[in-house]
Amino acid sequence: MNTSPQPDYNYDVDQIVKAYEQAINEIVRELERLDLTKYQRANMLSTLKSISEILAELDEKAALMAQSSIEKAATDGIIHAILALEIVDNIAEVRKIVMFNRINKEFVKAAVADTQADLLAVTQNVDKKVRAAVRQVTAEVMRNSLPKGINASDPLRREILTGLRKTLGDSVNTGIIDAAGRRWKPSTYVDVLVSTKMMEAHKEATINEAVPRGALYGVISKHGATDTCSKWEGKIVKLDRSAPGDYPFIYELPKREIFHPNCRHVVSPVRRLDRLPANVQKANGMQ
Ligand SMILES: [Zn+2]
């Protein structure tokens, strides 16, 4: 079996994460500029406007980056399939012939849209949280400054100011709550999201390339995982539900064990199980 190198998307993921971190830092600076010692409507409105602009620019950038990342991972998945199936055995030659077949065209379109939507949800969430915090804080400033203005030297007032600053800071740093109720920093969330989507795109594109070429099985990659994935390393799976044999269908593997968020495993397609290397056959109870 020819194999392509284990995909490493750290660089691509980092670029997207950096774009989020940069935007978040800009928002933090905007929030720091808010005058909390006296209520100024114009000041608040201009802060909200700047934040919207920062996030709109981020969305645009992230959408493009999501597209190129998914396309890259899908291309890698196709190359991986072609090498594994020994259609062309040289990675440079494969790069020349690689293209998205009809299924992969549809898949990539959907995966890009899906990733963009998930990223958009992150900025929308940040936007909502920050706006709510700015409104809450300015209302408090207004209430506090009605009689005499917040005097920064007054210890009680200082405490209020610190509290207001904290409310603003927290709004931007604990933006995302996932389905399990865990809180995420937006950049950490984006990191896991994009790397997971890229690995998924790799796997899906491999399967979409392999099955029409008559490869109905796959072998799960091995890199010495120590998590729950380890028991699936080197295991044969079906890429097509109708394939004969007593092997699990790849889409029915327990998601908590393999192909979980941040999982690094890929699948190598196989046409004929009897031609698998002896050690792989043995590990799957074939000998
Ligand atoms: Zn894994």
Side-chain angles (χ1 to χ4, degrees):
M1 253 198 305
N2 288 311
T3 46
S4 48
Q6 164 77 22
D8 178 355
Y9 296 132
N10 287 341
Y11 176 79
D12 309 82
V13 173
D14 280 353
Q15 294 302 106
I16 300 185
V17 167
K18 268 187 199 144
Y20 277 82
E21 281 173 344
Q22 200 186 333
I24 297 281
N25 287 340
E26 283 173 37
I27 292 172
V28 168
R29 281 200 295 277
E30 285 299 329
L31 294 176
E32 280 166 0
R33 254 181 242 138
L34 256 185
D35 183 357
L36 303 182
T37 58
K38 60 180 187 296
Y39 174 72
Q40 290 167 296
R41 184 176 158 75
N43 187 224
M44 176 196 73
L45 291 178
S46 97
T47 300
L48 290 180
K49 186 162 173 284
S50 301
I51 290 169
S52 291
E53 284 165 4
I54 293 164
L55 291 174
E57 201 183 305
L58 173 63
D59 283 339
E60 217 173 286
K61 215 192 277 184
L64 289 174
M65 291 168 115
Q67 178 169 7
S68 59
S69 300
I70 295 296
E71 286 174 356
K72 175 181 174 177
T75 303
D76 289 348
I78 296 166
I79 291 172
H80 179 70
I82 293 174
L83 284 173
L85 294 174
E86 298 178 320
I87 294 154
V88 178
D89 60 5
N90 166 318
I91 195 157
E93 289 302 309
V94 180
R95 286 207 177 273
K96 285 186 209 157
I97 63 155
V98 72
M99 56 179 274
F100 293 163
N101 62 20
R102 200 171 50 82
I103 315 168
N104 264 330
K105 268 187 201 147
E106 287 304 312
F107 161 70
V108 168
K109 216 197 291 177
V112 167
D114 193 38
T115 308
Q116 288 171 335
D118 284 351
L119 288 171
L120 198 60
V122 176
T123 44
Q124 282 169 346
N125 202 299
V126 170
D127 190 43
K128 209 169 79 186
K129 290 269 158 59
V130 172
R131 274 171 189 281
V134 168
R135 290 189 192 287
Q136 183 202 326
V137 164
T138 46
E140 242 174 281
V141 171
M142 189 159 47
R143 285 193 296 269
N144 278 298
S145 57
L146 279 178
K148 53 173 181 163
I150 295 179
N151 180 344
S153 63
D154 179 338
L156 183 63
R157 299 291 183 171
R158 280 197 84 88
E159 210 173 287
I160 292 171
L161 275 177
T162 309
L164 295 178
R165 286 273 164 232
K166 188 172 182 311
T167 303
L168 290 174
D170 288 352
S171 72
V172 74
N173 275 317
T174 53
I176 316 298
I177 298 172
D178 70 9
R182 280 171 303 210
R183 253 172 208 288
W184 294 77
K185 259 175 71 174
S187 55
T188 315
Y189 184 83
V190 166
D191 190 320
V192 177
L193 171 73
V194 176
S195 57
T196 305
K197 293 283 185 193
M198 286 185 82
M199 291 305 290
E200 259 173 33
H202 186 288
K203 175 175 56 111
E204 291 293 303
T206 297
I207 298 170
N208 291 341
E209 180 71 24
V211 172
R213 288 182 182 274
L216 305 184
Y217 304 94
V219 175
I220 292 176
S221 62
K222 231 179 198 178
H223 58 253
T226 52
D227 62 2
T228 49
C229 286
S230 61
K231 73 181 221 201
W232 291 101
E233 289 197 323
K235 286 282 152 57
I236 296 169
V237 293
K238 290 181 186 178
L239 303 183
D240 185 299
R241 194 192 290 275
S242 65
D246 188 23
Y247 304 103
F249 181 36
I250 189 162
Y251 292 107
E252 287 172 358
L253 298 178
K255 270 228 152 66
R256 273 162 16 135
E257 291 181 4
I258 178 93
F259 303 132
H260 51 74
N262 256 342
C263 179
R264 318 298 294 171
H265 286 95
V266 300
V267 65
S268 298
V270 182
R271 257 199 213 95
R272 292 189 48 176
L273 296 179
D274 59 338
R275 297 215 178 138
L276 279 171
N279 62 329
V280 179
Q281 292 196 20
K282 204 171 166 198
N284 284 276
M286 289 175 66
Q287 288 175 339

